[in-house]
Amino acid sequence: MLKRFLIFALFTCVSLCAEENVGFKLTHVHETIEPLINMEDLQGLVMDDEYIYISNMKTVYRVPRDSLSEEKIISRRLQSFEYKLRGGYYRHFGGMEMYNDTLYIAVTGRKHYFTTKKATPVVVVLDKDLNFVKYGIFPKEIQKGAGWISVNSTDGLLYSAWPFGYLHAYSREFENGDTISFVKNIRLDFLDNHLIDSVRSGLVNQGGVFSKEGFFFYAADHKTCSSADFQGIHLFDIKDSVGTEIPLYGYNNYGERRDFIHFKYNAGVVGQRLWEGEDLDLIETDTSATLYWMILLNVPSPYGRLMEYHIDPAILKKKK
């Protein structure tokens, strides 16, 4: 399989005309141009003030934000600590979260070589230098898969999802090898025009991230391009046990005005899944909000591209 690699650099810029009530705008696409990081089967992304953390299925990388020299990049392979994850075999890293200088990574289980038993998904905890700290097991009766993980800073809880349309909240307090403590469920209520059962049944959880005030961006992907009109990133206002979708207006890659962040499959290639929407990260300041979305392109072979969106920061302010 052809290997592609990533370095963050401006590849193209999409300029959209100024218009009232535009909540998102695609501003940059960062493309693969240098052989620094293996971006086959891209999965996870998170940033802090010093580093960019990126994962593919087998490896997580730490890249200094102020230097892209190869000698300053460190990495950790899943295989280097897989033997510590009791109870099964594990297939790949998923989405990631950095919180209080601790890196949380969702890891998907796979079937044992000699049986049909599939390992329960886990959350792996690393320090900033990618040293293994501990892992926790998702309750298998609640969550059979874990493609991503995030922390809501308003309550300090871990969040993930399975199946599509519900969030599960867990405590961050657990010992190595423990089943993590379930706290609550949150139902996601989509806008009426997004509630189409035939479409929702095929959507899968790919990423999620919370704003500083607790708004939630939810990345959903569909397995076929023929039902792709509702895949993308949806924004929710979380209150108690319900998340209510908020219209987020802007234009997709076909110039169509939508009420959520929509990146459309190639409409001329019916039946082919040319890309997958993967993990998210959100960078907020007092005056701006930038959402990063990893896209995994599957043709000619899986490699990553980073979509950068400007979000109207006023949308992410709770009403007093």
Side-chain angles (χ1 to χ4, degrees), residues 40 74 108 199 223 258 282:
E40 266 185 23
I74 65 172
T108 300
V199 172
K223 298 297 185 183
R258 299 304 303 268
L282 178 68

Side-chain angles (χ1 to χ4, degrees), residues 26 28-29 263 291-295 305-309:
L26 177 62
H28 298 100
V29 179
F263 191 81
L291 185 70
Y292 295 92
W293 186 22
M294 283 295 193
I295 297 292
R305 177 178 289 176
L306 180 67
M307 317 298 286
E308 181 178 323
Y309 291 91

Side-chain angles (χ1 to χ4, degrees), residues 41-55:
D41 295 314
L42 180 77
Q43 297 295 317
L45 168 75
V46 70
M47 307 178 193
D48 64 14
D49 292 338
E50 297 181 87
Y51 302 106
I52 302 167
Y53 296 85
I54 306 162
S55 70

Side-chain angles (χ1 to χ4, degrees), residues 115-309:
T115 72
T116 58
K117 182 180 179 181
K118 185 177 180 180
T120 304
V122 299
V123 52
V124 167
V125 181
L126 307 180
D127 65 20
K128 290 193 67 170
D129 296 323
L130 304 186
N131 297 307
F132 181 86
V133 176
K134 62 180 180 179
Y135 80 102
I137 303 170
F138 285 101
K140 60 182 179 181
E141 68 276 10
I142 297 174
Q143 195 155 335
K144 296 180 180 180
W148 61 273
I149 197 162
S150 187
V151 175
N152 185 348
S153 61
T154 66
D155 59 21
L157 297 175
L158 289 170
Y159 285 81
S160 190
W162 187 276
F164 178 80
Y166 288 86
L167 301 184
H168 309 304
Y170 303 94
S171 171
R172 288 186 298 109
E173 304 300 322
F174 57 89
E175 299 298 322
N176 186 48
D178 283 353
T179 296
I180 59 177
S181 297
F182 171 75
V183 177
K184 61 181 177 180
N185 284 323
I186 294 175
R187 185 185 77 245
L188 299 179
D189 285 349
F190 286 74
L191 294 172
D192 288 345
N193 59 320
H194 298 166
L195 294 175
I196 300 176
D197 290 340
S198 62
V199 172
R200 291 189 62 194
S201 63
L203 289 168
V204 292
N205 304 283
Q206 293 288 65
V209 67
F210 288 89
S211 73
K212 290 180 179 179
E213 296 195 12
F215 289 95
F216 178 63
F217 290 92
Y218 189 43
D221 186 52
H222 206 285
K223 298 297 185 183
T224 62
C225 68
S226 57
S227 300
D229 283 341
F230 300 95
Q231 66 190 7
I233 303 171
H234 300 259
L235 176 62
F236 292 86
D237 185 8
I238 306 293
K239 293 181 180 178
D240 299 322
S241 61
V242 177
T244 303
E245 186 174 7
I246 302 170
L248 188 62
Y249 293 100
Y251 296 88
N252 67 13
N253 53 315
Y254 280 75
E256 300 165 338
R257 183 171 168 84
R258 299 304 303 268
D259 54 4
F260 69 104
I261 297 175
H262 184 225
F263 191 81
K264 198 171 186 178
Y265 284 119
N266 184 344
V269 190
V270 176
Q272 291 196 32
R273 190 179 185 216
L274 300 183
W275 59 269
E276 299 176 55
E278 297 287 350
D279 205 12
L280 304 172
D281 197 26
L282 178 68
I283 304 298
E284 292 179 271
T285 70
D286 292 339
T287 58
S288 68
T290 304
L291 185 70
Y292 295 92
W293 186 22
M294 283 295 193
I295 297 292
L296 178 63
L297 300 174
N298 289 327
V299 177
S301 62
Y303 72 100
R305 177 178 289 176
L306 180 67
M307 317 298 286
E308 181 178 323
Y309 291 91

Side-chain angles (χ1 to χ4, degrees), residues 75-100:
S75 64
R76 180 76 64 193
R77 288 183 60 80
L78 175 57
Q79 287 180 329
S80 70
F81 55 78
E82 186 178 9
Y83 69 95
K84 298 181 179 181
L85 310 180
R86 301 188 304 274
Y89 290 86
Y90 290 87
R91 187 161 59 94
H92 66 70
F93 289 126
M96 303 186 290
E97 175 70 291
M98 176 63 72
Y99 187 75
N100 289 344

